[in-house]
Amino acid sequence: CAALDLQGGGFDYADRLFHSVAEAYNNCTHSDADVKELVPEMYSTPEVLLNSHASLPLGTRQDGTVLGDVLLPPWAHGCPHLF
């Protein structure tokens, strides 16, 4: 994978990867140190929120959460197309 080649053969620390819409929103609205950029794919390609089809080894966070698909708001019912 070309993205892994750019990262030295591995992904960033699991605790720093985009994992949850609610968590990212909370962090961005309560801290000046956390800034996120919404790339166009967030609006046009819902599959970017899924890891289940690629099964990339994104790692495990310090709290024990194994990363996979991005956690969506409850109103999306786990469906990136609704989001």
Side-chain angles (χ1 to χ4, degrees):
C1 179
L4 288 180
D5 291 339
L6 293 174
Q7 293 287 341
F11 291 103
D12 200 353
Y13 296 108
D15 288 296
R16 297 194 319 198
L17 295 177
F18 178 55
H19 155 73
S20 162
V21 171
E23 183 179 286
Y25 178 80
N26 184 59
N27 292 344
C28 289
T29 57
H30 291 88
S31 171
D32 292 335
D34 195 348
V35 179
K36 299 284 190 262
E37 176 183 354
L38 294 176
V39 295
E41 289 80 5
M42 290 285 292
Y43 302 100
S44 63
T45 312
E47 292 80 14
V48 301
L49 302 170
L50 300 174
N51 183 41
S52 55
H53 67 285
S55 299
L56 298 173
L58 300 176
T60 303
R61 298 177 70 157
Q62 290 182 23
D63 65 5
T65 303
V66 178
L67 299 186
D69 294 345
V70 172
L71 300 177
L72 301 173
W75 55 263
H77 303 288
C79 178
H81 293 277
L82 289 176
F83 178 72

